[in-house]
Amino acid sequence: RVRRVAAVPEGEVFNRNAASPDGSAVFVADYSSHDIRRVEVATGEVTTLVDSLDADEAAQFDGPAGIAISPDGSALFVADSSNDKIRRVEV
């Protein structure tokens, strides 16, 4: 059985995603918009955890290309490709 959880905005590129340990959420590295998003599996609600347009310069992503979640679900590790960094995001 396959069902749609959330709609993807047209023209957006999502390189990677990571599921929370309990399966309730999926975290998405939005390469095109340079943001990190959370999708609630049960409802399909999408929230932006890190909005690079609103973040200060030190927290801005530029091409997040990979994402992983810690075993306890408390942090995301994001490959920020154009900034040549691995960033930690508390969730």
Side-chain angles (χ1 to χ4, degrees):
R1 178 175 165 219
V2 177
R3 69 180 178 93
R4 185 179 92 170
V5 174
V8 175
E10 186 175 329
E12 297 296 312
V13 176
F14 300 109
N15 278 11
R16 300 285 184 257
N17 57 61
S20 63
D22 65 4
S24 65
V26 175
F27 298 91
V28 180
D30 184 343
Y31 186 87
S32 298
S33 295
H34 313 290
D35 297 330
I36 306 301
R37 303 190 192 279
R38 176 186 178 117
V39 180
E40 293 298 325
V41 173
T43 64
E45 179 184 2
V46 179
T47 56
T48 301
L49 293 179
V50 179
D51 184 341
S52 287
L53 291 178
D54 292 335
D56 61 40
E57 189 173 332
Q60 290 179 349
F61 285 93
D62 187 3
I67 191 168
I69 192 163
S70 63
D72 67 357
S74 66
L76 300 171
F77 299 92
V78 182
D80 190 2
S81 64
S82 294
N83 283 323
D84 301 318
K85 295 179 180 177
I86 302 293
R87 296 183 185 262
R88 180 184 174 117
V89 177
E90 304 296 323
V91 287

